[in-house]
Amino acid sequence: MDRRLDRRYSTNLEVTVTDIAAQDRVASGRIVDISQSGVCTELALGFAAGSIVKVQTGDCALFGRVTYCTEGRSFRTGIEVVRKIVGASDLARLLNAIFSQAMPAT
């Protein structure tokens, strides 16, 4: 049974995730899916649940809280997005469309 509240959209976007409390803790990876409430990433480093992070992809910055992080071949990390700053690219317009129903425009 799928307990997710929002529809997930599969992606393969390059991403950099930075821990706001420890700016030198930066992981690269990819966003594997996205929903109105957040993103699922596969990263080279793990982040503790509850960490506040910045997720950078293209000309978009997403800010949120790590909800889980499990280790396998990479660190599969769920991030609840609470704020977004989007640019003017096609990617930015797509991300804005996905998040627009869950968050106010920024």
Side-chain angles (χ1 to χ4, degrees):
M1 178 171 89
D2 191 357
R3 297 182 307 181
R4 294 179 176 160
L5 299 175
D6 301 317
R7 180 176 173 173
R8 300 266 173 184
Y9 300 93
S10 294
T11 67
N12 189 17
L13 301 171
E14 290 184 19
V15 69
T16 302
V17 177
T18 304
D19 188 327
I20 297 298
Q23 297 279 316
D24 60 335
R25 185 157 180 76
V26 179
S28 60
R30 63 189 188 99
I31 297 175
V32 295
D33 68 45
I34 188 168
S35 73
Q36 287 180 342
S37 58
V39 296
C40 178
T41 61
E42 289 183 351
L43 302 171
L45 296 173
F47 290 85
S51 298
I52 304 301
V53 295
K54 175 183 176 186
V55 179
Q56 184 78 42
T57 184
D59 62 346
C60 303
L62 309 172
F63 296 86
R65 180 181 60 85
V66 173
T67 56
Y68 67 87
C69 183
T70 57
E71 186 176 3
R73 289 182 292 182
S74 60
F75 291 89
R76 191 167 183 93
T77 307
I79 301 168
E80 176 186 21
V81 174
V82 296
R83 181 161 171 81
K84 62 182 171 44
I85 301 172
V86 297
S89 67
D90 289 340
L91 170 61
R93 285 191 289 278
L94 176 62
L95 290 175
N96 199 36
I98 292 170
F99 288 121
S100 65
Q101 294 178 21
M103 289 177 269
T106 57

